[in-house]
């Protein structure tokens, strides 16, 4: 995939995303991303002063992409907020299975403690997507909705993790489990607030 007079930063991030999808976070290399885009090994450092800056940029793109996939699933689910959140859980599992970046970059240990506004905003968009529908599902009980968000993440991320390690026979089984479990948890939270 050579780089030809376009947005080098975006091309490097795309190359980094592909590297993570192929070999996990250890495969994310600034030098290899430069090679794949057809630029010198020094060229990326104009955009990313360190490897950590590169990891942050790839993680931000991954979080934005995850948010987009989840938003599409929520929109397709219609007006029922419980079904919208359940669809978002299935979309999360499918995204993680096909992209790996949800595991290897977005939750990279080296990003703990990093204060990057773009990364924080991208992550917040994913959380807000779930939170706002959970508030609707619980009849406006924001405390119950806030308590539900980590449950959503445990279920969606757990099902995705189990799929990646081969626990499930197919992706539909993992996504279906996440969808059913999230639906049940949110209905239970909704019933408690009624």
């Amino acid at each position: 995939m050579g780089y030809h007079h376009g947005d080098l930063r975006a091309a490097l991030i795309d190359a980094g995303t592909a590297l993570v999808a192929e070999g996990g976070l250890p495969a994310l290399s600034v030098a290899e991303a430069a090679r794949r885009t057809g630029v010198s090994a020094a060229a990326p450092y104009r955009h990313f002063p360190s490897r950590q800056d590169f990891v942050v940029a790839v993680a931000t793109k991954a979080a934005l992409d995850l948010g987009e996939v989840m938003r599409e699933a929520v929109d397709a689910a219609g007006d029922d907020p419980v079904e919208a959140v359940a669809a978002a859980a299935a979309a999360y599992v499918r995204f993680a299975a096909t992209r790996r970046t949800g595991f290897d970059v977005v939750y990279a240990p080296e990003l703990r403690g990093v204060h990057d506004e773009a990364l924080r905003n991208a992550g917040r968009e994913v959380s807000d997507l779930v939170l706002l529908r959970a508030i609707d599902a619980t009849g406006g009980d924001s405390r119950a909705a806030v308590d539900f968000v980590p449950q959503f993440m445990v279920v969606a991320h757990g099902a995705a993790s189990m799929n990646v390690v081969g626990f499930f026979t197919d992706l539909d089984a993992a996504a279906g489990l996440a969808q059913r479990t999230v639906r049940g948890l949110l209905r239970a939270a909704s019933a408690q607030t009624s």
Side-chain angles (χ1 to χ4, degrees), residues 93-94 159 163 167-180:
V93 173
R94 291 180 190 288
N163 182 70
F167 181 83
F168 291 102
T169 56
D170 63 37
L171 180 55
D172 289 337
L177 175 64
Q179 190 166 13
R180 288 187 307 277

Side-chain angles (χ1 to χ4, degrees), residues 69-91 133 179 183:
V69 166
M70 289 173 60
R71 195 172 306 104
E72 289 171 1
V74 163
D75 291 346
D79 294 333
D80 182 339
V82 172
E83 290 306 315
V85 174
R133 270 65 178 191
Q179 190 166 13
R183 183 184 295 125

